[in-house]
Amino acid sequence: MNLLVKPVRSSLGKKYAMAVTGLLLIGFVLGHMAGNLLIYLGPDAINSYAHALKSNPGLLWTARIGLLLVFVIHVLLGVTLALENRAARPQRYEYDATLRASWASRNMMLTGLVILAFVIYHLAHFTLGVVTTTEDNKNYLDLVEVKQGLKTYVPEPSLNLSQLDPNQVDARHDVYRMVVSGFQIWWVSVSYWLAMAFLGLHLWHGGSSFLQTLGLNSFRYASVVRLIGPLLAILVVIGNSSIPLAVMLGLIK
């Protein structure tokens, strides 16, 4: 165990580990966005996608735990490196050269912590079902009709669920309706847009710096590497933010 931890004790080791975990998280962000964008294809597309994930609980929970571990390691390394850098220079220079750097690069810990808070809320709302609204509850009861063959179930509010034949009920959640009902609440959409703005700022710098840390910043590829972070940020912010915007404008309902 000590052999695994020892390389990460050095500042360079922490940076390498943070770069690797950062790239893994970028991969997840892109994959998650691709799944979310299925909502534009209609309820069946995104509900089928969600059902496919939940139909393999072992694989799903292995991925969730692995992703959580990667996320925790990334956050801890980020905070540790920020504190070490601050301790190494307790007094600010009269002229701080870092002011030449972008706001995003100078505030990676801030944007990272905001993203952490958003992830906790996002999990509580859409995964754990802890954060709910009256509209959410209404739509869970409205999962509409029993369709022969598809076994899609939507109960009446007064129906006793225990009286249903289990063979007639599809275990799928109506993810489409849950997302729509959530983003119809203006402050939920606004908070999501703010979170995406911070995620974009984090990716703007992090998307390129992680590659540079891993040694992909040679003169030949430097200009391309510098563009990857901004391009990732723009892609993710526009892709994810478009969903609550479409809901608010009534394009998805």
Side-chain angles (χ1 to χ4, degrees), residues 148-159:
Q148 188 175 7
L150 294 178
K151 298 180 181 177
T152 303
Y153 166 62
V154 188
E156 294 293 332
S158 60
L159 188 60

Side-chain angles (χ1 to χ4, degrees), residues 19 26 34 36 43 60 75 82 100 109 113 116 127 131 177 194 196 216-217 234 253:
I26 288 173
N36 289 341
L60 178 61
V75 171
R100 297 178 181 178
M109 185 169 74
L113 291 176
L116 172 61
T127 302
V131 179
R177 186 54 48 196
L194 288 174
M196 288 304 104
L216 300 177
N217 60 338
I234 293 170
K253 54 188 177 179

Side-chain angles (χ1 to χ4, degrees), residues 32 54 64 116-140 173-192 244 247:
H32 189 61
K54 291 188 176 183
R64 281 175 172 173
L116 172 61
F118 167 73
V119 167
I120 293 172
Y121 171 80
H122 192 64
L123 289 173
H125 189 184
F126 289 110
T127 302
L128 302 177
V130 175
V131 179
T132 59
T133 64
T134 302
E135 190 65 20
D136 289 329
N137 294 332
K138 175 182 179 297
N139 283 305
Y140 271 122
H173 289 299
D174 192 344
V175 176
Y176 180 92
R177 186 54 48 196
M178 181 176 64
V179 171
V180 171
S181 65
F183 287 140
Q184 283 174 340
I185 304 169
W186 71 267
W187 61 264
V188 173
S189 290
V190 170
S191 65
Y192 189 84
V247 171

Side-chain angles (χ1 to χ4, degrees), residues 35-195:
N36 289 341
L37 290 176
L38 289 174
I39 196 169
Y40 286 111
L41 299 179
D44 193 59
I46 192 168
N47 287 346
S48 296
Y49 166 72
H51 178 64
L53 293 177
K54 291 188 176 183
S55 63
N56 296 285
L59 182 61
L60 178 61
W61 278 104
T62 299
R64 281 175 172 173
I65 293 171
L67 180 65
L68 178 62
L69 183 62
V70 169
F71 189 79
V72 169
I73 291 173
H74 188 75
V75 171
L76 291 177
L77 287 172
V79 173
T80 300
L81 284 169
L83 294 177
E84 287 179 354
N85 290 338
R86 188 169 298 176
R89 195 183 64 187
Q91 292 183 341
R92 296 177 65 87
Y93 295 132
E94 188 172 330
Y95 174 74
D96 193 344
T98 61
L99 291 178
R100 297 178 181 178
S102 66
W103 187 93
S105 65
R106 288 184 283 115
N107 292 276
M108 288 293 283
M109 185 169 74
L110 171 63
T111 56
L113 291 176
V114 172
I115 294 168
L116 172 61
F118 167 73
V119 167
I120 293 172
Y121 171 80
H122 192 64
L123 289 173
H125 189 184
F126 289 110
T127 302
L128 302 177
V130 175
V131 179
T132 59
T133 64
T134 302
E135 190 65 20
D136 289 329
N137 294 332
K138 175 182 179 297
N139 283 305
Y140 271 122
L141 292 175
D142 273 341
L143 284 180
V144 208
E145 72 224 319
V146 176
K147 291 183 179 177
Q148 188 175 7
L150 294 178
K151 298 180 181 177
T152 303
Y153 166 62
V154 188
E156 294 293 332
S158 60
L159 188 60
N160 186 344
L161 302 185
S162 63
Q163 297 176 352
L164 291 173
D165 180 354
N167 295 322
Q168 289 186 310
V169 179
D170 185 3
R172 296 192 310 180
H173 289 299
D174 192 344
V175 176
Y176 180 92
R177 186 54 48 196
M178 181 176 64
V179 171
V180 171
S181 65
F183 287 140
Q184 283 174 340
I185 304 169
W186 71 267
W187 61 264
V188 173
S189 290
V190 170
S191 65
Y192 189 84
W193 287 325
L194 288 174

Side-chain angles (χ1 to χ4, degrees), residues 227-241:
L227 285 174
I228 289 177
L231 289 175
L232 276 173
I234 293 170
L235 175 65
V236 170
V237 170
I238 291 178
N240 284 331
S241 298

